[in-house]
Amino acid sequence: MNLWNRFWKWYEDKILGSIIIIAIIQFIQIPHMIWNADMMLEAGMISRVNPVIDWLLYGVDLIEIISIINVGMIMISLIKKRRAERITRSIKQD
């Protein structure tokens, strides 16, 4: 088994962990969305109170990169698994 196939086997075995990571990232987005709404409405209740908090809540957007990559890998993994199942079914039918 080559390195690429070993990686995908390992990743498919850990798919629940990937979904948990995505869920955590999405939950972190909730305070970011509230902060962003405060910025847009210029209410100043949350945003522009402390530059460190602003920087952290703005930086949450960068965490989404991990989520985007993770979702793409889950999709690829599921596509590969379905293709393998189809091939297996077609071989058994012959």
Side-chain angles (χ1 to χ4, degrees):
M1 183 182 295
N2 67 21
L3 186 60
W4 186 246
N5 290 334
R6 280 196 327 218
F7 167 76
W8 280 111
K9 172 140 181 40
W10 172 84
Y11 185 80
E12 288 171 359
D13 292 342
K14 308 292 185 220
I15 211 146
L16 177 61
S18 296
I19 293 171
I20 291 170
I21 290 169
I22 292 170
I24 290 168
I25 290 171
Q26 297 308 314
F27 290 133
I28 290 171
Q29 290 297 318
I30 294 169
H32 170 72
M33 289 186 301
I34 295 167
W35 171 83
N36 198 21
D38 189 50
M39 283 288 261
M40 293 296 151
L41 297 173
E42 297 183 1
M45 294 174 67
I46 300 169
S47 65
R48 298 184 181 116
V49 174
N50 185 325
V52 174
I53 293 172
D54 285 346
W55 184 81
L56 287 172
L57 288 170
Y58 178 74
V60 167
D61 275 340
L62 300 176
I63 289 177
E64 290 176 354
I65 295 169
I66 296 167
S67 183
I68 292 166
I69 292 169
N70 222 344
V71 167
M73 290 175 67
I74 289 171
M75 288 171 36
I76 291 169
S77 175
L78 292 173
I79 290 168
K80 286 178 56 144
K81 189 178 278 189
R82 286 187 183 152
R83 282 185 182 169
E85 288 172 359
R86 272 193 218 139
I87 291 170
T88 304
R89 272 189 269 136
S90 68
I91 291 172
K92 287 181 180 179
Q93 289 177 354
D94 292 340

Short mmCIF file of all heavy atoms in Angstrom, two decimals, residues 4-45:
data_model
loop_
_atom_site.label_atom_id
_atom_site.label_comp_id
_atom_site.label_asym_id
_atom_site.label_seq_id
_atom_site.Cartn_x
_atom_site.Cartn_y
_atom_site.Cartn_z
N TRP A 4 0.00 7.40 -0.10
CA TRP A 4 -1.27 8.10 -0.32
C TRP A 4 -2.45 7.26 0.18
O TRP A 4 -3.32 7.76 0.89
CB TRP A 4 -1.41 8.42 -1.81
CG TRP A 4 -2.59 9.26 -2.15
CD1 TRP A 4 -3.66 8.89 -2.88
CD2 TRP A 4 -2.82 10.62 -1.78
NE1 TRP A 4 -4.55 9.93 -3.00
CE2 TRP A 4 -4.05 11.01 -2.33
CE3 TRP A 4 -2.11 11.56 -1.04
CZ2 TRP A 4 -4.59 12.28 -2.17
CZ3 TRP A 4 -2.66 12.82 -0.88
CH2 TRP A 4 -3.87 13.16 -1.44
N ASN A 5 -2.48 5.99 -0.17
CA ASN A 5 -3.56 5.11 0.27
C ASN A 5 -3.54 4.88 1.78
O ASN A 5 -4.59 4.80 2.41
CB ASN A 5 -3.52 3.78 -0.48
CG ASN A 5 -3.90 3.93 -1.93
OD1 ASN A 5 -4.63 4.84 -2.30
ND2 ASN A 5 -3.40 3.04 -2.76
N ARG A 6 -2.34 4.79 2.34
CA ARG A 6 -2.24 4.64 3.80
C ARG A 6 -2.78 5.88 4.51
O ARG A 6 -3.45 5.78 5.54
CB ARG A 6 -0.79 4.41 4.22
CG ARG A 6 -0.36 2.99 4.03
CD ARG A 6 0.91 2.66 4.77
NE ARG A 6 1.83 3.79 4.85
CZ ARG A 6 3.14 3.70 4.76
NH1 ARG A 6 3.70 2.52 4.57
NH2 ARG A 6 3.91 4.74 4.86
N PHE A 7 -2.48 7.06 3.95
CA PHE A 7 -2.99 8.30 4.53
C PHE A 7 -4.52 8.29 4.53
O PHE A 7 -5.15 8.60 5.53
CB PHE A 7 -2.47 9.52 3.77
CG PHE A 7 -3.20 10.79 4.14
CD1 PHE A 7 -2.93 11.43 5.33
CD2 PHE A 7 -4.18 11.32 3.30
CE1 PHE A 7 -3.63 12.57 5.69
CE2 PHE A 7 -4.87 12.46 3.64
CZ PHE A 7 -4.59 13.09 4.84
N TRP A 8 -5.13 7.94 3.40
CA TRP A 8 -6.59 7.96 3.32
C TRP A 8 -7.22 6.93 4.24
O TRP A 8 -8.27 7.16 4.83
CB TRP A 8 -7.07 7.78 1.88
CG TRP A 8 -6.97 9.07 1.15
CD1 TRP A 8 -6.11 9.38 0.15
CD2 TRP A 8 -7.73 10.26 1.40
NE1 TRP A 8 -6.29 10.68 -0.24
CE2 TRP A 8 -7.28 11.25 0.50
CE3 TRP A 8 -8.74 10.60 2.28
CZ2 TRP A 8 -7.80 12.54 0.47
CZ3 TRP A 8 -9.27 11.88 2.24
CH2 TRP A 8 -8.79 12.82 1.35
N LYS A 9 -6.59 5.77 4.39
CA LYS A 9 -7.10 4.76 5.32
C LYS A 9 -7.06 5.31 6.75
O LYS A 9 -8.03 5.19 7.50
CB LYS A 9 -6.29 3.47 5.22
CG LYS A 9 -6.67 2.47 6.29
CD LYS A 9 -6.72 1.08 5.78
CE LYS A 9 -7.11 0.07 6.83
NZ LYS A 9 -8.14 0.44 7.75
N TRP A 10 -5.93 5.93 7.11
CA TRP A 10 -5.79 6.52 8.44
C TRP A 10 -6.85 7.61 8.64
O TRP A 10 -7.50 7.66 9.68
CB TRP A 10 -4.39 7.11 8.61
CG TRP A 10 -4.23 7.90 9.87
CD1 TRP A 10 -3.95 7.43 11.11
CD2 TRP A 10 -4.39 9.33 10.01
NE1 TRP A 10 -3.91 8.47 12.01
CE2 TRP A 10 -4.17 9.64 11.36
CE3 TRP A 10 -4.68 10.35 9.12
CZ2 TRP A 10 -4.24 10.94 11.84
CZ3 TRP A 10 -4.75 11.65 9.59
CH2 TRP A 10 -4.53 11.93 10.93
N TYR A 11 -7.05 8.47 7.64
CA TYR A 11 -7.99 9.58 7.75
C TYR A 11 -9.42 9.06 7.89
O TYR A 11 -10.19 9.57 8.71
CB TYR A 11 -7.89 10.50 6.53
CG TYR A 11 -8.76 11.72 6.67
CD1 TYR A 11 -8.32 12.80 7.43
CD2 TYR A 11 -10.01 11.79 6.09
CE1 TYR A 11 -9.12 13.91 7.60
CE2 TYR A 11 -10.82 12.89 6.25
CZ TYR A 11 -10.36 13.95 6.99
OH TYR A 11 -11.16 15.04 7.16
N GLU A 12 -9.78 8.04 7.13
CA GLU A 12 -11.13 7.48 7.23
C GLU A 12 -11.38 6.87 8.61
O GLU A 12 -12.49 6.91 9.12
CB GLU A 12 -11.36 6.46 6.13
CG GLU A 12 -11.50 7.10 4.77
CD GLU A 12 -11.51 6.10 3.63
OE1 GLU A 12 -11.37 4.88 3.89
OE2 GLU A 12 -11.64 6.55 2.48
N ASP A 13 -10.33 6.32 9.22
CA ASP A 13 -10.47 5.77 10.56
C ASP A 13 -10.68 6.87 11.60
O ASP A 13 -11.24 6.62 12.67
CB ASP A 13 -9.25 4.94 10.94
CG ASP A 13 -9.15 3.65 10.12
OD1 ASP A 13 -10.16 3.24 9.53
OD2 ASP A 13 -8.03 3.09 10.06
N LYS A 14 -10.23 8.08 11.30
CA LYS A 14 -10.30 9.20 12.24
C LYS A 14 -11.39 10.22 11.86
O LYS A 14 -11.37 11.34 12.32
CB LYS A 14 -8.96 9.95 12.28
CG LYS A 14 -7.76 9.09 12.51
CD LYS A 14 -7.76 8.53 13.91
CE LYS A 14 -6.46 7.77 14.13
NZ LYS A 14 -6.62 6.55 14.86
N ILE A 15 -12.34 9.85 11.04
CA ILE A 15 -13.31 10.81 10.50
C ILE A 15 -14.18 11.44 11.59
O ILE A 15 -14.53 12.61 11.50
CB ILE A 15 -14.15 10.18 9.38
CG1 ILE A 15 -14.54 11.25 8.38
CG2 ILE A 15 -15.37 9.49 9.88
CD1 ILE A 15 -14.61 10.74 6.98
N LEU A 16 -14.50 10.71 12.65
CA LEU A 16 -15.29 11.29 13.74
C LEU A 16 -14.53 12.45 14.38
O LEU A 16 -15.12 13.50 14.67
CB LEU A 16 -15.63 10.24 14.79
CG LEU A 16 -16.40 10.76 16.01
CD1 LEU A 16 -17.74 11.36 15.57
CD2 LEU A 16 -16.60 9.65 17.02
N GLY A 17 -13.24 12.29 14.57
CA GLY A 17 -12.43 13.38 15.12
C GLY A 17 -12.45 14.61 14.22
O GLY A 17 -12.49 15.74 14.71
N SER A 18 -12.45 14.40 12.92
CA SER A 18 -12.52 15.51 11.97
C SER A 18 -13.83 16.26 12.10
O SER A 18 -13.87 17.49 12.07
CB SER A 18 -12.37 15.00 10.55
OG SER A 18 -11.11 14.43 10.36
N ILE A 19 -14.91 15.52 12.26
CA ILE A 19 -16.22 16.16 12.41
C ILE A 19 -16.29 16.94 13.72
O ILE A 19 -16.87 18.03 13.77
CB ILE A 19 -17.34 15.11 12.30
CG1 ILE A 19 -17.36 14.56 10.86
CG2 ILE A 19 -18.69 15.68 12.68
CD1 ILE A 19 -18.26 13.37 10.66
N ILE A 20 -15.69 16.43 14.77
CA ILE A 20 -15.66 17.14 16.04
C ILE A 20 -14.88 18.45 15.90
O ILE A 20 -15.31 19.49 16.41
CB ILE A 20 -15.07 16.24 17.15
CG1 ILE A 20 -16.05 15.11 17.48
CG2 ILE A 20 -14.75 17.05 18.41
CD1 ILE A 20 -15.49 14.02 18.37
N ILE A 21 -13.75 18.41 15.19
CA ILE A 21 -12.97 19.63 14.96
C ILE A 21 -13.80 20.66 14.20
O ILE A 21 -13.83 21.85 14.55
CB ILE A 21 -11.67 19.31 14.20
CG1 ILE A 21 -10.71 18.54 15.11
CG2 ILE A 21 -11.00 20.59 13.68
CD1 ILE A 21 -9.52 17.96 14.40
N ILE A 22 -14.51 20.22 13.18
CA ILE A 22 -15.36 21.13 12.40
C ILE A 22 -16.44 21.73 13.30
O ILE A 22 -16.71 22.94 13.24
CB ILE A 22 -15.99 20.40 11.21
CG1 ILE A 22 -14.91 20.04 10.19
CG2 ILE A 22 -17.07 21.26 10.55
CD1 ILE A 22 -15.39 19.11 9.09
N ALA A 23 -17.06 20.93 14.16
CA ALA A 23 -18.11 21.43 15.05
C ALA A 23 -17.56 22.48 16.00
O ALA A 23 -18.19 23.53 16.21
CB ALA A 23 -18.72 20.27 15.84
N ILE A 24 -16.39 22.23 16.56
CA ILE A 24 -15.77 23.21 17.48
C ILE A 24 -15.51 24.53 16.75
O ILE A 24 -15.82 25.61 17.27
CB ILE A 24 -14.47 22.63 18.09
CG1 ILE A 24 -14.81 21.51 19.07
CG2 ILE A 24 -13.67 23.73 18.79
CD1 ILE A 24 -13.61 20.69 19.51
N ILE A 25 -14.98 24.44 15.54
CA ILE A 25 -14.70 25.65 14.76
C ILE A 25 -16.00 26.41 14.48
O ILE A 25 -16.04 27.64 14.58
CB ILE A 25 -13.96 25.30 13.46
CG1 ILE A 25 -12.53 24.85 13.79
CG2 ILE A 25 -13.94 26.49 12.50
CD1 ILE A 25 -11.78 24.27 12.63
N GLN A 26 -17.06 25.69 14.17
CA GLN A 26 -18.34 26.36 13.90
C GLN A 26 -18.88 27.02 15.16
O GLN A 26 -19.45 28.12 15.10
CB GLN A 26 -19.35 25.37 13.32
CG GLN A 26 -18.94 24.79 11.99
CD GLN A 26 -18.56 25.85 10.97
OE1 GLN A 26 -19.26 26.83 10.80
NE2 GLN A 26 -17.46 25.64 10.29
N PHE A 27 -18.73 26.39 16.33
CA PHE A 27 -19.20 27.00 17.57
C PHE A 27 -18.37 28.24 17.93
O PHE A 27 -18.91 29.20 18.49
CB PHE A 27 -19.18 26.00 18.72
CG PHE A 27 -20.23 24.93 18.60
CD1 PHE A 27 -19.91 23.60 18.79
CD2 PHE A 27 -21.54 25.25 18.28
CE1 PHE A 27 -20.88 22.61 18.67
CE2 PHE A 27 -22.52 24.27 18.16
CZ PHE A 27 -22.18 22.95 18.35
N ILE A 28 -17.09 28.23 17.60
CA ILE A 28 -16.25 29.40 17.84
C ILE A 28 -16.71 30.58 16.98
O ILE A 28 -16.53 31.73 17.34
CB ILE A 28 -14.76 29.07 17.55
CG1 ILE A 28 -14.21 28.12 18.61
CG2 ILE A 28 -13.91 30.32 17.51
CD1 ILE A 28 -12.84 27.58 18.30
N GLN A 29 -17.35 30.27 15.87
CA GLN A 29 -17.82 31.33 14.97
C GLN A 29 -18.98 32.14 15.58
O GLN A 29 -19.21 33.27 15.16
CB GLN A 29 -18.29 30.71 13.65
CG GLN A 29 -17.17 30.16 12.81
CD GLN A 29 -16.21 31.24 12.37
OE1 GLN A 29 -16.61 32.33 11.99
NE2 GLN A 29 -14.93 30.94 12.42
N ILE A 30 -19.70 31.61 16.54
CA ILE A 30 -20.86 32.31 17.11
C ILE A 30 -20.46 33.65 17.74
O ILE A 30 -21.02 34.69 17.39
CB ILE A 30 -21.64 31.40 18.08
CG1 ILE A 30 -22.26 30.24 17.30
CG2 ILE A 30 -22.72 32.19 18.84
CD1 ILE A 30 -22.83 29.14 18.16
N PRO A 31 -19.46 33.68 18.66
CA PRO A 31 -19.07 34.99 19.20
C PRO A 31 -18.50 35.91 18.11
O PRO A 31 -18.69 37.13 18.16
CB PRO A 31 -18.03 34.69 20.26
CG PRO A 31 -17.89 33.22 20.34
CD PRO A 31 -18.77 32.59 19.33
N HIS A 32 -17.84 35.31 17.14
CA HIS A 32 -17.30 36.10 16.03
C HIS A 32 -18.42 36.77 15.25
O HIS A 32 -18.32 37.95 14.88
CB HIS A 32 -16.46 35.22 15.11
CG HIS A 32 -16.06 35.88 13.84
ND1 HIS A 32 -15.11 36.87 13.80
CD2 HIS A 32 -16.50 35.74 12.58
CE1 HIS A 32 -14.97 37.28 12.56
NE2 HIS A 32 -15.82 36.61 11.79
N MET A 33 -19.52 36.04 15.00
CA MET A 33 -20.64 36.63 14.26
C MET A 33 -21.29 37.77 15.05
O MET A 33 -21.66 38.80 14.47
CB MET A 33 -21.68 35.56 13.93
CG MET A 33 -21.22 34.57 12.88
SD MET A 33 -22.50 33.40 12.37
CE MET A 33 -22.92 32.59 13.88
N ILE A 34 -21.41 37.59 16.36
CA ILE A 34 -21.98 38.65 17.20
C ILE A 34 -21.07 39.87 17.18
O ILE A 34 -21.53 41.01 17.03
CB ILE A 34 -22.21 38.14 18.64
CG1 ILE A 34 -23.27 37.03 18.63
CG2 ILE A 34 -22.59 39.27 19.58
CD1 ILE A 34 -23.36 36.25 19.92
N TRP A 35 -19.76 39.65 17.32
CA TRP A 35 -18.79 40.74 17.26
C TRP A 35 -18.85 41.45 15.92
O TRP A 35 -18.83 42.67 15.84
CB TRP A 35 -17.39 40.18 17.51
CG TRP A 35 -16.27 41.13 17.27
CD1 TRP A 35 -15.80 42.08 18.13
CD2 TRP A 35 -15.46 41.23 16.09
NE1 TRP A 35 -14.76 42.75 17.56
CE2 TRP A 35 -14.53 42.25 16.31
CE3 TRP A 35 -15.45 40.54 14.89
CZ2 TRP A 35 -13.59 42.60 15.37
CZ3 TRP A 35 -14.51 40.90 13.94
CH2 TRP A 35 -13.60 41.91 14.18
N ASN A 36 -18.95 40.66 14.85
CA ASN A 36 -19.00 41.23 13.50
C ASN A 36 -20.27 42.06 13.31
O ASN A 36 -20.23 43.14 12.70
CB ASN A 36 -18.93 40.11 12.45
CG ASN A 36 -18.55 40.62 11.10
OD1 ASN A 36 -17.97 41.69 10.96
ND2 ASN A 36 -18.89 39.86 10.07
N ALA A 37 -21.39 41.58 13.82
CA ALA A 37 -22.63 42.36 13.73
C ALA A 37 -22.49 43.67 14.49
O ALA A 37 -22.95 44.72 14.03
CB ALA A 37 -23.80 41.54 14.28
N ASP A 38 -21.85 43.64 15.65
CA ASP A 38 -21.60 44.85 16.42
C ASP A 38 -20.72 45.82 15.64
O ASP A 38 -20.95 47.04 15.69
CB ASP A 38 -20.96 44.48 17.76
CG ASP A 38 -20.88 45.66 18.71
OD1 ASP A 38 -21.92 46.32 18.90
OD2 ASP A 38 -19.80 45.92 19.26
N MET A 39 -19.75 45.29 14.92
CA MET A 39 -18.88 46.14 14.08
C MET A 39 -19.70 46.80 12.98
O MET A 39 -19.55 48.00 12.71
CB MET A 39 -17.76 45.32 13.44
CG MET A 39 -16.65 44.97 14.37
SD MET A 39 -15.64 46.37 14.77
CE MET A 39 -14.30 46.14 13.66
N MET A 40 -20.55 46.01 12.34
CA MET A 40 -21.34 46.54 11.22
C MET A 40 -22.36 47.58 11.69
O MET A 40 -22.60 48.57 11.01
CB MET A 40 -22.07 45.40 10.49
CG MET A 40 -21.16 44.45 9.78
SD MET A 40 -20.30 45.34 8.48
CE MET A 40 -18.80 44.41 8.42
N LEU A 41 -22.97 47.33 12.83
CA LEU A 41 -23.96 48.27 13.36
C LEU A 41 -23.32 49.45 14.09
O LEU A 41 -24.01 50.40 14.46
CB LEU A 41 -24.92 47.53 14.31
CG LEU A 41 -25.76 46.44 13.67
CD1 LEU A 41 -26.53 45.67 14.74
CD2 LEU A 41 -26.71 47.02 12.63
N GLU A 42 -22.02 49.34 14.31
CA GLU A 42 -21.24 50.36 15.01
C GLU A 42 -21.83 50.69 16.38
O GLU A 42 -21.87 51.84 16.80
CB GLU A 42 -21.09 51.62 14.15
CG GLU A 42 -20.32 51.35 12.87
CD GLU A 42 -20.10 52.60 12.03
OE1 GLU A 42 -20.53 53.70 12.44
OE2 GLU A 42 -19.48 52.46 10.97
N ALA A 43 -22.30 49.65 17.06
CA ALA A 43 -22.87 49.84 18.40
C ALA A 43 -21.78 50.02 19.44
O ALA A 43 -21.97 50.71 20.43
CB ALA A 43 -23.76 48.65 18.76
N GLY A 44 -20.63 49.36 19.24
CA GLY A 44 -19.52 49.51 20.17
C GLY A 44 -19.70 48.81 21.50
O GLY A 44 -19.00 49.10 22.45
N MET A 45 -20.67 47.88 21.57
CA MET A 45 -20.87 47.16 22.83
C MET A 45 -19.83 46.06 23.01
O MET A 45 -19.43 45.76 24.13
CB MET A 45 -22.28 46.57 22.87
CG MET A 45 -23.36 47.64 22.90
SD MET A 45 -25.02 46.96 22.76
CE MET A 45 -25.16 46.07 24.28
#
